[in-house]
Amino acid sequence: MSETTNIFAVTGNPVLHSKSPLLFNRLFQDNKEKAVYIRISAESTSETIFLFKDIDLSGMNVTSPFKQTLLQKLDKTGPAAAAIGAVNTVVKDGGLLKGFNTDHVGVTSSLKGLGLRLQERNCLVLGAGGAGRAAAYGLIQEGANVILANRTYDKAVQAAEKLGCQAIPLDDLRALLNKTEIVVSALAPRINPIQKEWLRPSHVVLDANYPHSPLSTMAQSQDCTVIRGEEWLLNQAIPVYKLFTGREANRKSMEDALSSDFKSKTICDNISLIGFMGCGKTTVGQILAKKLGYSFKDIDGVIEEREGKTVSEIFRLKGEQDFRALEKSVLSEIQQEKNNVYACGGGIVLDPANHDTLSRNSLVIWLYVSLESCLQRIDPSSRPLLDTEDRGEKPEVLFQTRIPHYARAADLVVMNERNPEKTAENIYEEIHQTLAD
Ligand code: S3P
């Protein structure tokens, strides 16, 4: 792998549930693209921009809660994104960041995929956030009659005015459903304002949420036609792939990728923290282990204990190759345990065999810190790779060449630029919310 690997991401909070990496990594693999797609759990809109630039992403998808706020911070926006007031895709355009929206295509293609004609159809869209507005926009473009409902009524009114449709408060849904043919929900997963008896077999229901959607389960039990949220995900991703690579996406590959199970079964077994020297793996790992009730293990610490030597001594006496062999064997041995948080040495990702070990046994989290901050935090005498009189370009080269390796190994990226407590809390919440769904 070289520095020219293109890195793409989906950013949101929470984002660990996202199946976008499955879709895009399969397409990259099939097309032999030198590219990798990761999940970034950001804490703010400015953090998403910082990470885009610092990791030097080639493109990014955007999910809740950043779809609307990110639009304000971009240099340019495509016409659909501007009309919707939200982005789900950002790409580099020269030196600038340009936002697009393909969510509306996700909705209309999913409905048309059933052979439905959308013109003059009575549609109810739940949610006036980025995804809800995109759904309304797409349906209006197809000539449907759209009514937008939202918990905060004012927000629905504002969005409806901008898009050119009607708005109602959530309380009025019951009567409206009698006249509705298509229901599209873009509300948060746990919010479902619809009661089972209000649904009839003639309703077509599409909920953006996956893998679990209480609305879809309810609609199924009422014999409605239900379109899964994964269908929306897949259909919005097809134009994104074109924006990212200029190529057509193969739908069949994407369907296959979606049916493969993201490591939901092993997700809670272990957590492994990876990232460059000085990114805070030990500090965050210890806090996280406490929160989860797990044990904390430092892979370098285990090696030092077993060898009776410090890592610096091992490098000096045996050389880097021997250290890497020790690192590999300790990793594969102790990853067999369960309920541990591991801090992994910064170079563990260089060996693809270690990726397999990590991916089989752990949820892998890349703690991202800018090189400048890493170098401020570390004592070079404890890091043999940086312990030279004249470091020159070495740290920069090491950092850059490793980025694609971290990206390939990670299930989730979390920034740890400031407060390790907050970083650990963010990881904890991501795990908690994904498992709770
Ligand atoms: C290394 C990182 C160190 C240690 C060794 C090699 C690396 O661990 O394993 O000095 O190659 O990046 P930390 O990342 O914990 O500093």
Side-chain angles (χ1 to χ4, degrees), residues 5-12 15-16 18-22 24-25 28 35-41 51-52 55-62 244 274 364 366 368 403-414:
T5 300
N6 289 318
I7 303 178
F8 298 89
V10 53
T11 185
V15 75
L16 185 56
S18 173
K19 289 190 172 182
S20 288
L22 301 182
F24 287 92
N25 286 325
F28 293 150
V36 57
Y37 189 107
I38 54 182
R39 298 178 189 84
I40 296 179
S41 175
L51 287 169
F52 192 111
I55 302 179
D56 194 20
L57 297 180
S58 301
M60 179 165 81
N61 282 129
V62 186
F244 282 171
I274 59 169
V364 184
W366 172 15
Y368 188 85
I403 281 186
H405 294 275
Y406 294 129
R408 292 238 181 248
D411 294 307
L412 184 72
V413 186
V414 176

Side-chain angles (χ1 to χ4, degrees), residues 275-278 281 300 311 315 323-324 327 344-347 382-385 402:
F276 201 68
M277 294 171 264
K281 290 163 291 191
D300 279 353
V311 168
F315 265 71
F323 172 78
R324 296 291 171 214
E327 189 176 47
C344 301
S382 67
R383 304 303 202 283
L385 288 174
R402 285 182 179 183

